[in-house]
Amino acid sequence: MNVRRLIPAAALAGAVALGATALTACSGAGATGSKDGKLGVTASFYPMQFLAEQIGKDHVKVDVLTKPGVEPHDLEITPRQTAQLGEADVVLYLKSLQPAVDKAVAQSGVKNVVDAATLTPLEAHAASGHGEEGHAHQDGDEHAGEAEGDDHGEAGTDPHVWLDPAKYAEIAKGVGAALEKADPNNAADYRKNTDELVGKLTALDTEFKDGLKNTASRTFITTHSAFGYLAERYGLDQEGISGVDPESEPSPARMKELQEVAKKENVSTVFFETLASDKTAKVLATDTGLKTDVLDPLEGITDKSQGADYFEVMRSNLKNLQKALGSK
């Protein structure tokens, strides 16, 4: 199963408290950073954008730094975007996922920041049941360093928390509380919208639990080791071809190991994602006689996505997992 290590409770509690209180500076009557009188929210990438839109609805104007079709890990921020960050009423991001965003937020001087990584415990996940670190970055990777916390040297924490509906719900609650503080005039609406979203995420969690309860295999192979939280939540084993970088080339030894895992664990499918090349998945599938299919890490929505929003794509992921694992 996936290796897990929780951030110390005291540190997490302090971080959550900071996240909840960071917005008090702009808790005057209806902060209005956008020109049309709405709360101006800048989101780092799609999962943060989705929360802002679902919770804020008509009260917010949401801008997103990572445009559709751009691989979030590779995002570069221009000086102009950094300056624009400083003009936002609220910035929503997830520290450790996008180093360029981490730097831009720090340089922008923006006061009202919500770091989703402070709103739910982060864990360290191995790419496989064999102990290979899925999020130990490649030599020279600029994700390294402070991007994944003080314990990065041993096993960096996994930032892909939104792929666990229960953890995503925890983040939604924190975002809702932040918007309430930033715009108290509309607090009741933010609270109502947060409750509705959390209810939908709880229902989605139940769908995954029921849908993956009885399967012929519990192991799945994927090009991008982004599904550690999902695997942890539903009792599955993630076998990642590469680590956090979906474009990195696996070693011949790793490919051979995965061929052996596929035979031993009754694996039928090699998953790839829509925002990265499927070349490696196809090579492994050809060598092992397996099929390929999409397992979307939901880092962005494009016309190639198997759904128009978070819920639709997650349900497509569930359907594809059920098919690959032999759901009974």
Coordinates of all heavy atoms in Angstrom, one line a residue, residues 46 68 89 121 142 174 204 307 317 322:
Y46 N -6.7 24.8 -12.0 CA -8.2 24.4 -12.1 C -8.8 24.0 -10.8 O -9.9 24.5 -10.5 CB -8.4 23.3 -13.2 CG -9.8 22.9 -13.2 CD1 -10.8 23.7 -13.7 CD2 -10.2 21.7 -12.6 CE1 -12.1 23.4 -13.7 CE2 -11.6 21.3 -12.6 CZ -12.5 22.2 -13.1 OH -13.9 21.8 -13.1
P68 N -6.1 26.6 -19.7 CA -6.5 25.2 -20.1 C -5.4 24.7 -21.1 O -5.0 25.4 -22.0 CB -7.8 25.4 -20.8 CG -8.4 26.6 -20.1 CD -7.2 27.5 -19.8
D89 N -8.1 40.4 -4.5 CA -8.6 40.4 -3.1 C -8.2 39.2 -2.4 O -7.8 39.2 -1.2 CB -10.1 40.5 -3.1 CG -10.6 41.9 -3.5 OD1 -10.0 42.9 -3.1 OD2 -11.6 41.9 -4.3
P121 N -4.3 17.6 6.0 CA -3.0 17.0 6.2 C -2.4 16.5 4.9 O -3.1 15.8 4.1 CB -3.3 15.9 7.2 CG -4.5 16.2 7.9 CD -5.3 17.0 6.9
E142 N 13.4 21.9 -10.5 CA 13.2 23.1 -9.7 C 12.0 22.9 -8.8 O 11.7 23.8 -8.0 CB 12.9 24.3 -10.6 CG 11.7 24.2 -11.5 CD 11.5 25.4 -12.3 OE1 12.1 26.5 -12.0 OE2 10.6 25.4 -13.2
G174 N -12.3 25.3 4.1 CA -11.3 26.4 4.4 C -11.5 27.6 3.4 O -11.4 28.7 3.8
L204 N -19.9 12.0 -3.8 CA -18.9 11.4 -4.7 C -18.0 10.4 -4.0 O -17.6 9.4 -4.5 CB -18.1 12.5 -5.3 CG -17.0 12.1 -6.3 CD1 -17.7 11.6 -7.6 CD2 -16.1 13.3 -6.7
G307 N -15.1 15.0 -19.5 CA -16.1 15.7 -18.7 C -15.8 17.2 -18.7 O -14.7 17.6 -19.1
N317 N -13.2 9.0 -14.2 CA -12.1 8.2 -13.6 C -12.6 7.0 -12.9 O -11.9 5.9 -13.0 CB -11.3 9.1 -12.6 CG -10.4 10.1 -13.3 OD1 -10.0 10.0 -14.5 ND2 -10.0 11.1 -12.6
Q322 N -13.0 1.2 -12.5 CA -13.9 0.0 -12.4 C -13.6 -1.0 -13.5 O -13.5 -2.2 -13.3 CB -15.3 0.4 -12.3 CG -15.7 1.1 -11.0 CD -17.2 1.5 -11.1 OE1 -17.6 2.2 -12.0 NE2 -18.0 1.0 -10.1

